[in-house]
Amino acid sequence: MGSQEDAMDYIALPKIEASTPRPERVSRRTLHEIWLRKKAAGETDLEDPLIVMPDGKHDYDLKTFFPLFSSYIYNLLTDEESIRHAITTVLDDFLADGVVYLELRTTPRATARISAEAYVRLLLDAMRAWEALHGDAMHVRLILSVDRRHDLATAESILALAARLRSEAPPDDDGSNAGARIVALDLCGDPTARPDGQVAVFTPVLGAAARAPHGLGLTVHFAEAEASGSRAELDVLLDWRPGRLGHVIWEDEEARREIARRGLCLELCLSCNVQAGMVRGGFEGHHFGHWRGVDGPRLSLGTDDVGVFGSPLSNEYRLVAQHFDLDRGQICALARQAIDSIFGGEAEKQRLRDIMWT
């Protein structure tokens, strides 16, 4: 790229982040701060997370890191103070990285101190409080996740929770509920769980999410690993009519043609995929190189696991510029591709067009 690429301010570039899970987005520094408080209060026996997972160490793969990282997330983020501190720092980090619209996703979970519903309500309250302080700098919405390892009853409870909390949101000026902060459901979790189309067990929930009376968006992880890349699984997922697909690494040519035909938005995460060894050929071999040249699908870059791999969204754009020879105009156009695939409603899409086309 040369001087043109080097001169671009990737942080100042207005960006949309639509693929990050909240727990994995918590930084190790934030975990350390929470650990210090809990250690002083005698509430944890865990070792300092910055010793176990030092800043700057990112050479983990998914099998070695996530059990370790999760042990800290689920043992430290158990009370209102810790959860509120974590979500606030996450939002601060995204704003500092130039994000103007954020869809944060989380799996509702109970701790020893709060219920799953109280947990989600706490996140929503923290998001409202944060936006009240920052005005229109960044709008934040929430996606509730169904884990592949859940049973149908748990998935049903998540949909019911989303519907209940959305119904409590005050209507917009036009009488609609477009301002509700919970905007979609997500299918995530261990890609080896429920392979070969067994995720069809969730059809009564995820297949109904977008239909009346729910009106929710839907995003699903597909072909994140070979075990979840079968045509049987894709057929199930597409029957649910998702708005976005995440990762899309191990699909076959037939699946690629069907995805392109439907013009779906693809959530692509370079750093996570490359550093965790999920793709072959490094950054140059990443499937972004294929999809950027295909008519139909729109692309949405995401950080996915920035707490793990330490790559803010601005760096993802820098990476595609460096490894795929994109100029300034192409980078700006790429940042705008996700606008029509957000779940935040038409007014929010127009707000983003106004910001990202100026």
Side-chain angles (χ1 to χ4, degrees):
M1 287 291 304
S3 59
Q4 184 178 22
E5 186 276 321
D6 294 338
M8 185 166 186
D9 187 343
Y10 291 93
I11 293 177
L13 174 72
K15 296 176 287 295
I16 294 168
E17 169 61 90
S19 65
T20 193
R22 188 201 63 81
E24 285 81 356
R25 186 55 176 82
V26 177
S27 70
R28 284 172 265 194
R29 178 63 55 179
T30 297
L31 287 179
H32 170 73
E33 293 167 357
I34 295 170
W35 175 86
L36 284 174
R37 178 175 61 82
K38 288 184 174 284
K39 188 70 173 178
E43 297 178 2
T44 183
D45 294 325
L46 291 172
E47 190 174 1
D48 185 346
L50 282 185
I51 293 177
V52 178
M53 303 173 290
D55 275 342
K57 178 176 173 56
H58 305 297
D59 55 342
Y60 299 99
D61 60 30
L62 296 182
K63 291 181 180 179
T64 60
F65 188 88
F66 280 106
L68 176 64
F69 191 74
S70 296
S71 70
Y72 278 89
I73 289 291
Y74 294 116
N75 283 287
L76 293 179
L77 303 187
T78 58
D79 59 281
E80 179 174 348
E81 182 178 356
S82 298
I83 294 169
R84 193 177 291 274
H85 177 60
I87 184 66
T88 300
T89 59
V90 165
L91 299 181
D92 287 344
D93 288 347
F94 275 119
L95 179 62
D97 196 33
V99 174
V100 293
Y101 176 82
L102 169 65
E103 287 179 359
L104 205 60
R105 61 187 75 186
T106 192
T107 305
R109 64 182 183 90
T111 74
R113 302 187 186 186
I114 59 176
S115 67
E117 180 170 336
Y119 167 77
V120 176
R121 287 183 181 276
L122 175 57
L123 294 183
L124 292 171
D125 184 66
M127 288 160 54
R128 279 190 292 267
W130 188 93
E131 280 196 2
L133 290 175
H134 294 85
D136 280 341
M138 182 176 76
H139 288 184
V140 189
R141 300 295 180 262
L142 189 65
I143 297 173
L144 299 188
S145 298
V146 172
D147 192 292
R148 288 168 175 267
R149 294 162 293 191
H150 283 159
D151 56 23
L152 179 59
T154 302
E156 288 173 337
S157 72
I158 292 172
L159 175 58
L161 176 60
R164 184 164 63 253
L165 294 178
R166 278 175 61 83
S167 71
E168 295 176 6
D172 284 356
D173 292 340
D174 61 1
S176 74
N177 191 239
R181 290 182 182 275
I182 296 178
V183 293
L185 294 188
D186 166 43
L187 178 69
C188 66
D190 182 353
T192 65
R194 301 189 187 278
D196 301 320
Q198 294 177 37
V199 291
V201 68
F202 299 122
T203 294
V205 172
L206 298 180
R211 298 198 300 268
H214 305 300
L216 290 161
L218 179 64
T219 177
V220 295
H221 286 54
F222 170 65
E224 189 175 3
E226 288 184 84
S228 63
S230 70
R231 184 55 197 249
E233 176 154 315
L234 180 63
D235 287 342
V236 171
L237 299 182
L238 292 182
D239 280 346
W240 297 345
R241 304 185 70 81
R244 302 198 301 257
L245 298 180
H247 290 291
V248 196
I249 299 170
W250 293 96
E251 77 287 353
D252 60 21
E253 287 301 322
E254 183 182 4
R256 284 183 170 184
R257 288 192 294 272
E258 182 63 17
I259 291 168
R261 186 183 72 81
R262 297 206 181 200
L264 295 172
C265 180
L266 307 182
E267 303 168 0
L268 303 184
C269 308
L270 277 78
S271 293
C272 169
N273 295 163
V274 172
Q275 295 190 50
M278 298 165 69
V279 296
R280 301 187 181 110
F283 287 107
E284 287 79 4
H286 192 275
H287 48 292
F288 172 86
H290 166 79
W291 287 111
R292 65 171 290 224
V294 176
D295 289 333
R298 288 158 290 181
L299 305 183
S300 175
L301 292 190
T303 55
D304 194 40
D305 302 310
V306 71
V308 181
F309 300 110
S311 182
L313 190 56
S314 57
N315 194 53
E316 300 299 297
Y317 281 92
R318 185 186 303 276
L319 286 170
V320 296
Q322 291 174 340
H323 294 284
F324 298 97
D325 198 28
L326 272 63
D327 62 28
R328 179 188 296 270
Q330 291 171 313
I331 287 293
C332 293
L334 175 62
R336 294 190 290 261
Q337 279 195 34
I339 292 176
D340 287 330
S341 298
I342 68 164
F343 298 129
E346 289 305 317
E348 187 62 33
K349 291 176 184 178
Q350 187 56 53
R351 170 184 169 267
L352 293 173
R353 293 186 191 106
D354 293 342
I355 292 172
M356 301 176 78
W357 284 91
T358 56

